Amino acid sequence: MIELDTSGPAELAPLSWLVGLWEGTGIVDYKIGEESRSLEFGQRISFTHDGLPHLNYNSYTWLLDDNKTPHVTETGYWRLRRPASEGDPGPGLLPAIGERPYGTADEVETLRTADGGFEIEVSIVHPGGINEFYIGEVTGPRIDLATDAVMRTESAKEYTAATRMYGLVEGHLLWAWDIAALGQDLRTHASGRLARVE
């Protein structure tokens, strides 16, 4: 059973079990042609919020060597998928007009899907020139995501699609990430098991 934090914005309640700092290890195992690229890594993920109806996401990984050599990072935002309204700020720094929508649990409940979950949107930025835009669903302690779009700068490595799954299992955050990159179709890429440290 998971406990949902209702002290933050009402829209975050379905995602509130993610809030905190998680740390653990993971494995990369990605096959490119006949070659398999594999390594073990350490990882720290944080999910925070600043009073706005989205989670701030940050992932930092390091190699499991004597120096804990920095590996890769990514950052992004997670939120419920719903239509924008005049009560939302933006675009840019434009202020909202009127009250922020979905401010109560009852209003958020109207966003529940027929399957009992909530649709979500996730945007993740990689410093190597890749931006991923995911859509998916959170159902209790499980999240399933698939890319709706991947944008790359001219200098970025080839990367076309991905899926991610997150789940809370016996108090640990487990995740799996499949990617289509470097000329390969969508296939197993990496997974991890993290424990809450804050």
Side-chain angles (χ1 to χ4, degrees), residues 10-183:
E11 286 185 61
L12 292 184
L15 295 168
S16 66
W17 57 272
L18 290 168
V19 174
L21 184 63
W22 303 83
E23 193 168 303
T25 60
I27 296 174
V28 171
D29 190 10
Y30 192 65
K31 192 169 182 180
I32 302 171
E34 296 302 314
E35 175 192 358
S36 186
R37 297 186 187 175
S38 302
L39 67 88
E40 292 185 53
F41 59 89
Q43 183 179 35
R44 182 179 309 113
I45 290 179
S46 69
F47 287 96
T48 61
H49 74 84
D50 46 21
L52 295 170
H54 61 263
L55 292 180
N56 303 307
Y57 163 79
N58 191 310
S59 170
Y60 170 75
T61 62
W62 61 91
L63 302 180
L64 293 178
D65 58 17
D66 291 339
N67 298 319
K68 294 187 174 181
T69 303
H71 187 46
V72 298
T73 63
E74 57 184 25
T75 191
Y77 302 96
W78 297 49
R79 67 182 191 146
L80 292 188
R81 185 175 185 177
R82 61 160 179 84
S85 78
E86 289 189 351
D88 292 306
L93 294 175
L94 293 175
I97 300 171
E99 290 186 29
R100 185 179 301 275
Y102 304 99
T104 68
D106 287 340
E107 290 171 336
V108 172
E109 192 61 30
T110 66
L111 298 172
R112 189 178 292 275
T113 67
D115 297 333
F118 293 88
E119 291 183 339
I120 62 174
E121 296 176 340
V122 175
S123 57
I124 296 178
V125 178
H126 303 259
I130 296 172
N131 291 353
E132 300 172 275
F133 299 98
Y134 289 91
I135 56 173
E137 188 165 353
V138 55
T139 306
R142 180 183 170 120
I143 296 171
D144 292 284
L145 300 170
T147 48
D148 184 44
V150 174
M151 296 185 346
R152 294 181 289 133
T153 62
E154 185 178 336
S155 63
K157 291 185 177 181
E158 190 263 331
Y159 180 91
T160 57
T163 62
R164 297 188 190 215
M165 188 279 298
Y166 296 81
L168 188 63
V169 180
E170 297 177 353
H172 287 84
L173 180 62
L174 276 61
W175 62 264
W177 183 9
D178 296 351
I179 65 172
L182 305 177

